[in-house]
Amino acid sequence: MNKSSVPHPGPFPEDFLFGVATASYQIEGAHNSDGRKPSIWDTFSRTPGKVHNGDTGDIACDHYHLWESDLDLIKSMHMDAYRFSIAWPRVIPDGTGSLNSKGLAFYDRLVDGCLERGLKPFATLYHWDLPMSIQDRGGWTHASTALAFAEYAQQITRHLGDRLASISTFNEPWCSSILGYLFGIHAPGETSMDATLASVHYQHLGHGLAVQAIRAENAQLDTGIVLNVHSVYPATNNTEDADAAARGHDFHNQIFLDPLFKGHYPEEFLNELGDRLPASWQDDLPTIHQPLDFWGLNYYTPMRVLADPASEYPAITRAPIPDNTPVTDIGWEVAAETFSDILIKLYDEYDLPPCYITENGACYNDEPVDGVITDSRRIEYFAAHLDALARVIDNGLEIKGYFAWSLMDNFEWAEGYRMRFGLVHVDYNTQVRTIKDSGHWYSGLALSHSEGHHQ
Ligand code: IFM
């Protein structure tokens, strides 16, 4: 890419934040240090056949030990904010009960380290690492987990809340219920619709109770939730597939958005599966429907579907990606216009609070050549999505910031370490970090914005 062809997406509002995001299990390592006990991902990744190559998060990017130089790196990239998640099993190793002071001290240091470097700390309470002892008591299929989660939220707010820029309850509850309980490809690896519906509902309840607990501790703290909403399209012009796309939106988006932002489940979903929700689910709806200061959108790729009448509701199947469509190395279609489409649709359908794009990014597995990682496809992906975002902001949507996924290559769940999303390359043998071309580009964009070139 020569200098004149370097993309410069925008403009973005003056107070728009640029940041990078990570998650605890994906980067921290130190799986049994200082009192941390196992999470469902420690168990799942040790289960043969669940994670590519048998990879685990035991060491990951060793961020637990390298956090200071990692924060220096983020600062050197001119970021305004750092989004990370807190590992529940590090702070309350048994899920309920005693606090582990050493585990909490890690996040104390991390938050202070952000502030010392002028980085706004955006914390997420749950990015999928449920303490194993809670899983042994029924995990997200039990109401007691929602109560335990609220207790954990309260403790974190009490100890860190005065220094956080924001707190999110959940990251992508779609993944921790649909991938974890229906498709079985994420922890805890179940494949049951009943368990899925219970996990959806009790994560919603956990969210509502946690928001109440956070507000009770610190009413000033910006509180929200992060969702991965799908931009669902029919793969053909047939009516059957158009109906399938509507059902896909219902099942994959609305059963998350409606309870949180409207205080009820969508009607068609209730007609199809309502009798399989946990008993007295109606009583929980007022708790679930809490006013929020913001919501986070994680967006990567569209969902194109076909009707599949033989399968259970929503009776859809993913359509194959047509030849010659650009895809990333993990096989996800690149289609930036679908990013603006979903934002416009959501603000049309819901009365939403301001939004942060809490994740967006691309998997390209370019390796260093003479110490340089030339990942121009990632730059193109970011530039196209940031441009799409700038257009919707220009049209009046209140989007307050953008977090690139991810700061660095990390443990990509069932894909292990083979799929790389980082702006920074990680050599897992040496833990050497090398900023990729995309990292230099994104850092230049943030710098130019902070220098006032936002118009
Ligand atoms: O790595 C994940 C992250 O943990 C949640 N959002 C999607 C990313 C890419 O798959």
Side-chain angles (χ1 to χ4, degrees):
M1 199 172 281
N2 64 37
K3 210 165 175 203
S4 60
S5 65
V6 174
H8 194 94
F12 295 97
E14 197 170 339
D15 55 355
F16 190 81
L17 296 182
F18 285 99
V20 285
T22 64
S24 47
Y25 190 72
Q26 294 182 272
I27 64 163
E28 285 179 0
H31 71 113
N32 56 6
S33 301
D34 294 339
R36 181 189 180 278
K37 288 192 179 172
S39 75
I40 54 174
W41 268 96
D42 294 85
T43 306
F44 190 73
S45 60
R46 282 175 168 63
T47 310
K50 296 298 185 190
V51 173
H52 174 76
N53 193 40
D55 292 346
T56 70
D58 287 4
I59 300 172
C61 307
D62 200 21
H63 173 74
Y64 190 74
H65 297 110
L66 300 177
W67 64 273
E68 281 185 282
S69 47
D70 286 339
L71 290 185
D72 288 342
L73 184 64
I74 300 171
K75 182 67 192 162
S76 79
M77 291 169 74
H78 310 292
M79 294 295 107
D80 303 304
Y82 175 43
R83 173 175 178 252
F84 58 92
S85 78
I86 295 170
W88 185 352
R90 219 181 262 298
V91 176
I92 308 181
D94 293 314
T96 50
S98 327
L99 271 183
N100 174 27
S101 54
K102 285 188 176 165
L104 186 60
F106 170 68
Y107 297 105
D108 233 351
R109 294 193 292 275
L110 188 71
V111 170
D112 285 345
C114 283
L115 297 176
E116 280 156 19
R117 291 165 179 79
L119 296 166
K120 294 186 192 317
F122 276 59
T124 301
L125 289 168
Y126 188 74
H127 199 127
W128 314 347
D129 35 7
L130 186 72
M132 199 54 213
S133 55
I134 296 234
Q135 179 63 24
D136 294 338
R137 286 176 260 156
W140 285 114
T141 63
H142 277 231
S144 57
T145 301
L147 296 169
F149 180 68
E151 200 181 298
Y152 158 60
Q154 180 176 28
Q155 291 292 355
I156 294 298
T157 309
R158 181 167 299 168
H159 292 280
L160 305 177
D162 57 333
R163 286 161 290 150
L164 294 176
S166 86
I167 193 162
S168 297
T169 54
F170 284 84
N171 177 76
E172 303 180 357
W174 180 88
C175 292
S176 36
S177 49
I178 307 289
L179 299 183
Y181 283 90
L182 189 62
F183 299 162
I185 57 173
H186 276 193
E190 289 194 32
T191 50
S192 142
M193 180 58 91
D194 293 305
T196 302
L197 297 177
S199 76
V200 168
H201 185 73
Y202 289 131
Q203 287 184 66
H204 287 336
L205 181 61
H207 161 80
L209 291 169
V211 172
Q212 290 176 335
I214 293 164
R215 303 272 195 226
E217 276 296 326
N218 184 339
Q220 313 308 320
L221 179 55
D222 262 17
T223 302
I225 188 168
V226 171
L227 303 172
N228 58 321
V229 184
H230 302 84
S231 209
V232 189
Y233 299 87
T236 73
N237 293 327
N238 298 340
T239 320
E240 296 76 37
D241 294 331
D243 293 345
R247 291 195 302 276
H249 182 54
D250 183 70
F251 186 75
H252 291 293
N253 295 330
Q254 290 178 275
I255 69 167
F256 296 91
L257 290 154
D258 284 17
L260 298 172
F261 296 111
K262 293 184 173 171
H264 56 72
Y265 281 104
E267 207 179 310
E268 191 177 351
F269 161 76
L270 284 180
N271 292 339
E272 297 288 340
L273 293 172
D275 58 344
R276 292 164 73 179
L277 278 168
S280 50
W281 56 268
Q282 289 97 331
D283 300 346
D284 298 329
L285 290 173
T287 307
I288 292 169
H289 183 208
Q290 295 293 320
L292 298 178
D293 301 307
F294 71 93
W295 74 290
L297 172 65
N298 291 356
Y299 191 80
Y300 291 87
T301 189
M303 178 188 269
R304 302 199 194 267
V305 301
L306 295 163
D308 182 10
S311 72
E312 188 172 27
Y313 190 82
I316 60 175
T317 187
R318 293 293 281 261
I321 297 178
D323 292 346
N324 303 321
T325 305
V327 292
T328 64
D329 287 349
I330 201 170
W332 297 355
E333 179 182 344
V334 179
E337 69 287 359
T338 66
F339 182 31
S340 31
D341 281 2
I342 189 66
L343 278 162
I344 292 164
K345 180 178 167 76
L346 292 175
Y347 276 87
D348 211 37
E349 291 179 5
Y350 296 89
D351 185 14
L352 294 167
C355 176
Y356 289 95
I357 303 306
T358 32
E359 286 181 27
N360 176 239
C363 170
Y364 291 113
N365 299 322
D366 305 292
E367 286 291 338
V369 176
D370 298 330
V372 177
I373 300 106
T374 312
D375 58 340
S376 32
R377 293 173 300 171
R378 183 175 282 106
I379 297 178
E380 282 161 23
Y381 179 98
F382 276 127
H385 285 74
L386 280 159
D387 253 334
L389 187 63
R391 281 195 300 278
V392 297
I393 295 174
D394 201 35
N395 284 329
L397 298 195
E398 197 180 351
I399 319 276
K400 296 171 63 158
Y402 177 94
F403 292 81
W405 185 267
S406 177
L407 164 66
M408 57 187 159
D409 297 334
N410 57 51
F411 176 78
E412 177 52 26
W413 308 111
E415 299 292 346
Y417 294 99
R418 71 172 161 172
M419 294 297 167
R420 294 177 178 267
F421 278 86
L423 290 164
V424 174
H425 180 272
V426 177
D427 178 330
Y428 296 111
N429 294 317
T430 60
Q431 293 296 346
V432 167
R433 277 79 159 130
T434 308
I435 303 182
K436 301 178 188 179
D437 281 1
S438 60
H440 290 297
W441 172 83
Y442 186 58
S443 123
L445 181 71
L447 177 63
S448 114
H449 185 265
S450 70
E451 287 174 338
H453 305 293
H454 28 72
Q455 291 310 321

